[in-house]
Amino acid sequence: MTYEQQLHDEAELWGTEAQRMAGQVLPDWRAHRHLLYNVINHQQDIDALLAQIQPGMQTLELGCASGWLTLAMAQRGANATGYDISPKSLQVARDYYATIAHEVPGTVQYDVQDLNNLSLPHAAYDVVVVKGTLHHLVNMPQVIAEVHQSLKPGGLFWVSDEAGDVNMRSALFSSALMFLLPTQVSYREKFGGLLKFGLNAPSRIKASMEAEDLSPFEGAGREHDWLALVQAQFADVRVFNKPAVTGYLAHQINLSRWLAIPLLRMIGAIDSLMVRIGLLKNTGVVVYARK
């Protein structure tokens, strides 16, 4: 398959997903922040990022999908631009923005862009953000270099993404939790899968945690150590580790919110402790890098 065909298929897949999600929840952080996996894994990080955004800032999001984070920066008064490969995703973003533009103090612009072939203006942005996109990119050194030169002195590069591969201990811990807790898979199917796959069951969970083969470019960026590239380019880099398995579990658990939220927060605290003492290895990180 050619690169152009992969790019087309990637755009179609995520465009269809953006349309599906927009049918369930508005592409607005005020709505997305209440989704279970955001409450558990992303709400605090996104709110901390948005607290950095000041009126009049020039901001850019790479891989903006349906545009809710780009929009959230504009809602803080920024002049915000969002780039994405999917025209369908951007149409979702534009359609929603058109309905609330009159109440947004900043400005929003959404553009189609192949992030593997970036050419950004020099010293143009106060903040560049990337959420869940770097691990899809094949031209990582150019992307990081372009972001660095596009930031003003003191500008912020904020990343929330996966760095590295899921290790087997994390997969085993996730497998145990997935088997014990009620999830979207019935217990009958779980027992059937255990009989069918036996000792290979954790490997299948590992592949699921890494979203293996979800899209043409899923995991392509794992061939590059994007975190090392950021640390080499930027003077001040702070890295915050996420739990190893709790974010994945939040997508799978099948409990009412009043049970799921305290349970996942308890698991997350244990999960984070096991990461800190080295029993588990996380892949999710949040990075603040200053030029």
Side-chain angles (χ1 to χ4, degrees):
M1 185 183 295
T2 66
Y3 175 78
E4 289 72 21
Q5 185 60 52
Q6 287 180 300
L7 212 60
H8 173 270
D9 291 352
E10 187 89 2
E12 282 295 304
L13 185 148
W14 295 115
T16 300
E17 175 62 13
Q19 292 172 333
R20 184 191 70 82
M21 278 296 297
Q24 299 178 0
V25 58
L26 294 175
D28 189 315
W29 177 236
R30 294 172 297 185
H32 272 251
R33 71 192 321 274
H34 299 295
L35 296 173
L36 180 60
Y37 57 84
N38 282 332
V39 170
I40 297 302
N41 210 44
H42 299 299
Q43 190 181 90
Q44 185 175 356
D45 299 321
I46 299 295
D47 286 346
L49 164 66
L50 293 174
Q52 305 267 334
I53 307 300
Q54 301 298 319
M57 278 186 169
Q58 305 296 319
T59 70
L60 172 67
E61 182 183 8
L62 303 179
C64 68
S66 63
W68 58 263
L69 183 50
T70 300
L71 174 62
M73 292 189 287
Q75 288 168 329
R76 297 277 300 180
N79 300 308
T81 300
Y83 285 165
D84 199 86
I85 191 56
S86 170
K88 288 182 179 179
S89 294
L90 295 181
Q91 194 58 53
V92 169
R94 293 186 187 111
D95 288 347
Y96 179 67
Y97 175 55
T99 68
I100 64 165
H102 63 282
E103 65 183 55
V104 178
T107 63
V108 178
Q109 178 178 328
Y110 295 112
D111 293 315
V112 175
Q113 179 69 244
D114 175 7
L115 301 184
N116 286 313
N117 292 289
L118 275 180
S119 180
L120 299 176
H122 179 73
Y125 301 110
D126 297 287
V127 178
V128 177
V129 305
V130 189
K131 183 180 182 300
T133 298
L134 284 184
H135 72 278
H136 290 86
L137 304 182
V138 297
N139 201 4
M140 198 76 71
Q142 180 190 349
V143 172
I144 302 302
E146 282 291 318
V147 168
H148 184 268
Q149 66 86 26
S150 76
L151 282 166
K152 300 174 184 179
L156 171 66
F157 182 34
W158 181 93
V159 184
S160 174
D161 213 320
E162 304 296 314
D165 299 323
V166 174
N167 71 4
M168 193 50 66
R169 275 185 295 184
S170 297
L172 283 167
F173 184 48
S174 184
S175 297
L177 291 173
M178 288 284 289
F179 188 81
L180 292 171
L181 295 173
T183 65
Q184 298 171 17
V185 179
S186 70
Y187 283 103
R188 181 176 180 178
E189 291 173 299
K190 291 177 186 180
F191 277 106
L194 187 61
L195 290 173
K196 180 178 180 181
F197 299 111
L199 295 177
N200 289 324
S203 296
R204 293 180 63 84
I205 292 292
K206 178 179 183 296
S208 178
M209 292 174 73
E210 294 178 346
E212 188 175 295
D213 298 326
L214 175 63
S215 75
F217 288 102
E218 184 63 50
R222 289 193 175 96
E223 295 181 10
H224 304 274
D225 188 344
W226 64 262
L227 184 53
L229 291 170
V230 171
Q231 290 169 326
Q233 290 262 1
F234 287 81
D236 178 16
V237 180
R238 290 179 294 152
V239 181
F240 298 91
N241 291 319
K242 303 295 290 180
V245 306
T246 309
Y248 174 74
L249 190 62
H251 283 274
Q252 309 297 327
I253 199 164
N254 186 19
L255 284 172
S256 61
R257 287 174 66 90
W258 69 273
L259 282 173
I261 290 174
L263 176 62
L264 287 167
R265 283 179 172 159
M266 181 184 68
I267 292 170
I270 297 169
D271 189 352
S272 295
L273 175 62
M274 293 173 76
V275 168
R276 285 198 299 273
I277 64 179
L279 290 178
L280 296 179
K281 178 182 179 297
N282 66 297
T283 57
V285 293
V286 174
V287 176
Y288 288 76
R290 292 278 180 184
K291 183 172 177 179

Short mmCIF file of all heavy atoms in Angstrom, two decimals, residues 78-79 148 166 202:
data_model
loop_
_atom_site.label_atom_id
_atom_site.label_comp_id
_atom_site.label_asym_id
_atom_site.label_seq_id
_atom_site.Cartn_x
_atom_site.Cartn_y
_atom_site.Cartn_z
N ALA A 78 -7.32 32.51 23.23
CA ALA A 78 -6.21 32.35 22.28
C ALA A 78 -6.68 32.46 20.84
O ALA A 78 -7.86 32.25 20.53
CB ALA A 78 -5.54 31.00 22.50
N ASN A 79 -5.74 32.80 19.96
CA ASN A 79 -5.95 32.67 18.53
C ASN A 79 -5.42 31.29 18.15
O ASN A 79 -4.22 31.08 18.03
CB ASN A 79 -5.21 33.78 17.78
CG ASN A 79 -5.69 35.15 18.19
OD1 ASN A 79 -6.89 35.42 18.17
ND2 ASN A 79 -4.77 36.03 18.58
N HIS A 148 9.88 22.96 17.36
CA HIS A 148 10.85 23.77 18.12
C HIS A 148 11.08 25.13 17.46
O HIS A 148 11.01 26.17 18.12
CB HIS A 148 12.18 23.01 18.24
CG HIS A 148 13.19 23.72 19.08
ND1 HIS A 148 14.12 24.58 18.54
CD2 HIS A 148 13.41 23.73 20.43
CE1 HIS A 148 14.88 25.07 19.50
NE2 HIS A 148 14.47 24.57 20.65
N VAL A 166 4.23 -1.36 25.67
CA VAL A 166 3.67 -1.96 26.87
C VAL A 166 4.50 -3.20 27.23
O VAL A 166 4.75 -4.05 26.36
CB VAL A 166 2.20 -2.36 26.66
CG1 VAL A 166 1.66 -3.12 27.87
CG2 VAL A 166 1.35 -1.12 26.36
N PRO A 202 -2.41 -12.79 27.78
CA PRO A 202 -1.80 -11.48 28.07
C PRO A 202 -1.20 -10.81 26.83
O PRO A 202 -1.21 -9.58 26.73
CB PRO A 202 -0.71 -11.82 29.09
CG PRO A 202 -1.21 -13.05 29.77
CD PRO A 202 -1.88 -13.84 28.67
#
